[in-house]
Protein backbone atom coordinates (compact mmCIF):
# COMPACT_ATOMS: atom_id res chain seq x y z
CA UNK A 1 0.00 0.00 0.00
CA UNK A 2 1.57 3.25 -1.15
CA UNK A 3 -0.66 5.71 0.68
CA UNK A 4 -0.55 6.36 4.41
CA UNK A 5 -3.23 4.61 6.43
CA UNK A 6 -5.53 7.58 7.01
CA UNK A 7 -5.59 8.48 3.30
CA UNK A 8 -6.18 4.86 2.32
CA UNK A 9 -8.96 4.59 4.92
CA UNK A 10 -10.76 7.49 3.25
CA UNK A 11 -10.67 5.71 -0.11
CA UNK A 12 -11.81 2.51 1.58
CA UNK A 13 -14.91 4.29 2.91
CA UNK A 14 -15.78 6.10 -0.34
CA UNK A 15 -18.78 4.90 -2.32
CA UNK A 16 -17.64 5.33 -5.92
CA UNK A 17 -21.15 4.79 -7.30
CA UNK A 18 -22.73 7.46 -5.14
CA UNK A 19 -19.59 9.65 -5.36
CA UNK A 20 -19.68 10.23 -1.62
CA UNK A 21 -18.56 8.62 1.60
CA UNK A 22 -20.70 5.67 2.69
CA UNK A 23 -21.26 7.44 6.00
CA UNK A 24 -19.41 10.66 6.80
CA UNK A 25 -19.67 10.26 10.56
CA UNK A 26 -18.47 6.66 10.37
CA UNK A 27 -15.57 7.73 8.15
CA UNK A 28 -14.44 10.21 10.79
CA UNK A 29 -14.01 7.44 13.35
CA UNK A 30 -12.22 5.21 10.85
CA UNK A 31 -9.80 7.94 9.80
CA UNK A 32 -8.91 8.82 13.38
CA UNK A 33 -8.23 5.15 14.16
CA UNK A 34 -6.19 4.79 10.99
CA UNK A 35 -4.09 7.87 11.77
CA UNK A 36 -3.43 6.61 15.30
CA UNK A 37 -2.38 3.23 13.90
CA UNK A 38 -0.03 5.02 11.52
CA UNK A 39 1.61 6.91 14.39
CA UNK A 40 1.94 3.72 16.44
CA UNK A 41 3.46 1.87 13.50
CA UNK A 42 5.97 4.68 12.95
CA UNK A 43 6.94 4.55 16.60
CA UNK A 44 5.77 8.12 17.18
CA UNK A 45 3.07 7.17 19.72
CA UNK A 46 2.66 4.33 22.21
CA UNK A 47 0.59 3.49 25.26
CA UNK A 48 1.82 3.79 28.82
CA UNK A 49 1.24 1.35 31.66
CA UNK A 50 -2.16 2.92 32.35
CA UNK A 51 -3.29 2.42 28.75
CA UNK A 52 -3.06 6.09 27.86
CA UNK A 53 -1.42 7.32 24.68
CA UNK A 54 2.01 8.91 25.01
CA UNK A 55 4.06 10.69 22.36
CA UNK A 56 7.39 8.91 21.84
CA UNK A 57 8.79 11.46 19.41
CA UNK A 58 7.32 14.73 18.21
CA UNK A 59 9.61 14.98 15.20
CA UNK A 60 7.66 16.16 12.13
CA UNK A 61 6.31 13.30 10.08
CA UNK A 62 6.00 15.23 6.84
CA UNK A 63 2.23 14.68 6.92
CA UNK A 64 0.10 17.59 8.17
CA UNK A 65 -2.68 15.28 9.39
CA UNK A 66 -0.29 13.21 11.49
CA UNK A 67 1.60 16.25 12.79
CA UNK A 68 -1.64 17.86 13.95
CA UNK A 69 -2.68 14.64 15.67
CA UNK A 70 0.72 14.34 17.36
CA UNK A 71 0.29 17.83 18.78
CA UNK A 72 -3.10 16.79 20.14
CA UNK A 73 -1.67 13.67 21.75
CA UNK A 74 1.06 15.68 23.47
CA UNK A 75 -1.44 18.08 25.06
CA UNK A 76 -3.09 15.60 27.43
CA UNK A 77 -2.92 11.85 28.10
CA UNK A 78 -6.02 9.99 26.98
CA UNK A 79 -6.89 6.45 25.95
CA UNK A 80 -6.84 5.34 22.32
CA UNK A 81 -10.64 5.16 22.36
CA UNK A 82 -10.90 8.73 23.61
CA UNK A 83 -8.57 9.94 20.86
CA UNK A 84 -10.59 8.10 18.21
CA UNK A 85 -13.68 9.99 19.33
CA UNK A 86 -12.12 13.47 19.48
CA UNK A 87 -11.78 15.97 16.60
CA UNK A 88 -13.04 13.47 14.04
CA UNK A 89 -14.56 16.09 11.76
CA UNK A 90 -11.35 18.11 11.76
CA UNK A 91 -9.31 15.06 10.79
CA UNK A 92 -11.79 14.14 8.06
CA UNK A 93 -11.61 17.61 6.53
CA UNK A 94 -7.82 17.65 6.80
CA UNK A 95 -7.62 14.32 4.97
CA UNK A 96 -9.88 15.66 2.22
CA UNK A 97 -7.69 18.73 1.88
CA UNK A 98 -4.59 16.56 1.64
CA UNK A 99 -6.18 14.32 -0.99
CA UNK A 100 -7.24 17.43 -2.93
CA UNK A 101 -3.64 18.69 -2.92
CA UNK A 102 -2.52 15.28 -4.21
CA UNK A 103 -5.11 15.46 -6.99
CA UNK A 104 -6.99 12.41 -5.72
CA UNK A 105 -10.24 14.24 -4.98
CA UNK A 106 -11.92 17.42 -6.10
CA UNK A 107 -13.57 19.52 -3.40
CA UNK A 108 -16.32 21.87 -4.54
CA UNK A 109 -16.06 25.54 -3.57
CA UNK A 110 -18.75 26.88 -1.30
CA UNK A 111 -21.18 29.29 -2.95
CA UNK A 112 -21.04 32.49 -0.86
CA UNK A 113 -24.56 33.34 -2.07
CA UNK A 114 -26.00 29.86 -1.80
CA UNK A 115 -27.55 27.95 1.09
CA UNK A 116 -25.36 26.98 4.03
CA UNK A 117 -24.36 23.32 3.74
CA UNK A 118 -22.62 21.21 6.43
CA UNK A 119 -19.80 20.18 4.10
CA UNK A 120 -18.63 20.65 0.56
CA UNK A 121 -19.17 18.01 -2.11
CA UNK A 122 -16.13 15.79 -2.67
CA UNK A 123 -15.57 13.85 -5.89
CA UNK A 124 -12.95 11.21 -6.66
CA UNK A 125 -10.98 12.26 -9.71
CA UNK A 126 -10.32 8.61 -10.65
CA UNK A 127 -12.50 6.08 -8.76
CA UNK A 128 -10.36 3.11 -9.80
CA UNK A 129 -7.94 3.41 -6.89
CA UNK A 130 -10.76 3.27 -4.36
CA UNK A 131 -12.47 0.35 -6.10
CA UNK A 132 -9.24 -1.61 -6.38
CA UNK A 133 -8.40 -0.98 -2.71
CA UNK A 134 -11.87 -2.06 -1.58
CA UNK A 135 -11.65 -5.22 -3.69
CA UNK A 136 -8.16 -6.04 -2.40
CA UNK A 137 -9.12 -5.69 1.26
CA UNK A 138 -12.30 -7.73 0.73
CA UNK A 139 -10.30 -10.48 -0.96
CA UNK A 140 -7.73 -10.37 1.82
CA UNK A 141 -10.42 -11.11 4.40
CA UNK A 142 -12.16 -13.75 2.28
CA UNK A 143 -8.92 -15.43 1.20
CA UNK A 144 -6.83 -18.08 2.88
CA UNK A 145 -3.31 -16.65 2.72
CA UNK A 146 -1.37 -16.33 6.00
CA UNK A 147 -2.54 -13.22 7.83
CA UNK A 148 0.97 -12.70 9.14
CA UNK A 149 2.25 -12.19 5.60
CA UNK A 150 -0.18 -9.40 4.71
CA UNK A 151 1.31 -5.88 4.72
CA UNK A 152 0.70 -4.15 8.05
CA UNK A 153 -1.34 -1.40 6.41
CA UNK A 154 -3.62 -3.85 4.63
CA UNK A 155 -4.10 -5.83 7.85
CA UNK A 156 -5.17 -2.67 9.70
CA UNK A 157 -7.51 -1.64 6.89
CA UNK A 158 -9.08 -5.12 6.96
CA UNK A 159 -9.64 -4.79 10.70
CA UNK A 160 -11.13 -1.30 10.29
CA UNK A 161 -13.43 -2.42 7.47
CA UNK A 162 -14.70 -5.34 9.54
CA UNK A 163 -15.04 -3.70 12.95
CA UNK A 164 -16.22 -0.42 11.40
CA UNK A 165 -18.94 -2.26 9.46
CA UNK A 166 -17.99 -0.87 6.05
CA UNK A 167 -20.67 -2.52 3.92
CA UNK A 168 -18.92 -1.33 0.76
CA UNK A 169 -16.11 -3.73 1.57
CA UNK A 170 -17.50 -6.52 3.75
CA UNK A 171 -21.06 -7.72 4.25
CA UNK A 172 -22.40 -8.94 7.57
CA UNK A 173 -22.01 -12.47 6.24
CA UNK A 174 -18.37 -11.78 5.38
CA UNK A 175 -17.67 -10.48 8.88
CA UNK A 176 -19.21 -13.57 10.48
CA UNK A 177 -17.86 -16.16 8.04
CA UNK A 178 -14.31 -14.85 8.30
CA UNK A 179 -14.28 -13.78 11.94
CA UNK A 180 -11.09 -15.77 12.55
CA UNK A 181 -9.19 -13.92 9.85
CA UNK A 182 -10.54 -10.58 11.06
CA UNK A 183 -9.22 -11.46 14.53
CA UNK A 184 -5.84 -12.34 13.03
CA UNK A 185 -5.60 -9.01 11.21
CA UNK A 186 -6.65 -7.18 14.35
CA UNK A 187 -3.92 -9.08 16.15
CA UNK A 188 -1.35 -7.52 13.84
CA UNK A 189 -2.36 -4.14 15.24
CA UNK A 190 -2.42 -5.52 18.78
CA UNK A 191 1.22 -6.51 18.45
CA UNK A 192 2.14 -2.82 18.19
CA UNK A 193 -0.65 -1.11 20.14
CA UNK A 194 -2.81 -3.49 22.24
CA UNK A 195 -5.11 -0.78 23.53
CA UNK A 196 -5.70 0.60 20.05
CA UNK A 197 -6.57 -2.88 18.79
CA UNK A 198 -9.13 -3.24 21.59
CA UNK A 199 -10.59 0.16 20.67
CA UNK A 200 -10.81 -0.88 17.03
CA UNK A 201 -12.52 -4.14 17.99
CA UNK A 202 -15.25 -2.12 19.72
CA UNK A 203 -15.36 0.53 17.01
CA UNK A 204 -18.91 -0.05 15.85
CA UNK A 205 -20.29 0.10 19.38
CA UNK A 206 -18.35 3.32 19.91
CA UNK A 207 -19.88 4.76 16.75
CA UNK A 208 -23.37 3.67 17.71
CA UNK A 209 -23.00 5.31 21.13
CA UNK A 210 -21.58 8.45 19.54
CA UNK A 211 -24.56 8.72 17.18
CA UNK A 212 -27.15 8.26 19.88
CA UNK A 213 -27.89 4.64 19.06
CA UNK A 214 -27.84 4.96 15.28
CA UNK A 215 -25.33 2.62 13.66
CA UNK A 216 -24.77 0.59 10.53
CA UNK A 217 -25.22 -3.15 10.36
Amino acid sequence: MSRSLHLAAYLLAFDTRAQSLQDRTRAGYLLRAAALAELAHRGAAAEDAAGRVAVVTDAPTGDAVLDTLLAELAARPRTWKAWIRRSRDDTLEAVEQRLAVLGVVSVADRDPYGPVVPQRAVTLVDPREARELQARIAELVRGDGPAAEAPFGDAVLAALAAHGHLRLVLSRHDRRAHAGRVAAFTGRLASEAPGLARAVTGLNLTMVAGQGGMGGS
Side-chain angles (χ1 to χ4, degrees), residues 54-213:
V55 172
V56 178
T57 172
D58 60 359
T61 65
D63 183 302
V65 176
L66 295 181
D67 289 342
T68 298
L69 180 52
L70 264 180
E72 289 183 54
L73 299 182
R76 180 178 175 183
R78 300 178 189 274
T79 64
W80 295 107
K81 180 178 178 179
W83 284 120
I84 288 174
R85 298 181 65 172
R86 291 181 65 83
S87 305
R88 303 183 307 275
D89 291 342
D90 292 341
T91 296
L92 178 53
E93 290 188 8
V95 166
E96 288 177 333
Q97 291 171 7
R98 178 59 181 162
L99 288 171
V101 169
L102 293 173
V104 178
V105 303
S106 174
V107 182
D109 292 329
R110 284 192 173 93
D111 183 354
Y113 304 105
V116 177
V117 293
Q119 67 271 331
R120 293 177 289 178
V122 179
T123 304
L124 277 181
V125 175
D126 184 353
R128 286 178 297 180
E129 183 180 0
R131 287 198 295 262
E132 289 171 359
L133 176 63
Q134 291 163 6
R136 187 173 82 244
I137 298 304
E139 180 58 30
L140 183 63
V141 173
R142 297 170 185 151
D144 55 8
E149 294 182 5
F152 176 80
D154 283 357
V156 172
L157 290 176
L160 290 174
H163 297 301
H165 290 198
L166 273 183
R167 299 185 306 275
L168 288 169
V169 183
L170 298 169
S171 67
R172 179 184 296 181
H173 171 76
D174 288 329
R175 298 196 306 268
R176 291 178 175 176
H178 305 289
R181 287 183 64 76
V182 170
F185 292 129
T186 309
R188 295 284 303 282
L189 178 58
S191 67
E192 299 196 10
L196 180 55
R198 288 193 295 273
V200 166
T201 299
L203 193 56
N204 193 61
L205 289 177
T206 299
M207 290 188 284
V208 169
Q211 297 180 62

Side-chain angles (χ1 to χ4, degrees), residues 4-25:
S4 53
L5 270 168
H6 49 290
L7 301 185
Y10 185 93
L11 298 177
L12 196 70
F14 200 93
D15 186 337
T16 58
R17 292 185 178 182
Q19 273 293 341
S20 66
L21 290 167
Q22 174 189 312
D23 179 328
R24 193 169 180 86
T25 300

